[in-house]
Amino acid sequence: MMPDQITEIAVFAKYILIALASIGAIVLAFGIYHRKRQLIERGGYMIILSIVLGVCVYLIYEKTKQKSYEMLQNTYISY
């Protein structure tokens, strides 16, 4: 895969993780409101999962950006 494709996938994954965290917050709030432990746990797990995966996506994005910068630095233009 090219660095541009990986970057596009990482940006798309970031939006999915934001949606997952939002749904987790809604489930958590609903569980607190109805005092259901199972919903509170699920909402908390969804938020934690989205945070962990968000950090992984960020690291992949930064590493890809660094590699593409190095690839551009190693490209020589000859006339």
Side-chain angles (χ1 to χ4, degrees):
M1 287 186 115
M2 296 298 294
D4 293 336
Q5 293 173 334
I6 295 172
T7 304
E8 290 177 10
I9 292 171
V11 170
F12 182 70
K14 185 170 51 171
Y15 291 125
I16 291 175
L17 293 174
I18 290 170
L20 179 66
S22 301
I23 292 170
I26 291 169
V27 170
L28 180 66
F30 189 75
I32 291 172
Y33 180 73
H34 289 287
R35 295 187 180 151
K36 294 195 177 189
R37 183 175 181 203
Q38 185 179 10
L39 289 177
I40 294 171
E41 288 176 355
R42 281 187 187 169
Y45 287 144
M46 289 172 79
I47 292 171
I48 291 171
L49 177 68
S50 67
I51 290 171
V52 169
L53 291 176
V55 169
C56 292
V57 167
Y58 175 76
L59 292 174
I60 290 170
Y61 177 76
E62 289 298 319
K63 190 70 171 174
T64 303
K65 201 163 72 170
Q66 179 186 6
K67 285 193 179 220
S68 64
Y69 178 76
E70 289 173 359
M71 188 169 42
L72 286 174
Q73 292 297 322
N74 292 334
T75 304
Y76 296 104
I77 299 173
S78 59
Y79 293 102

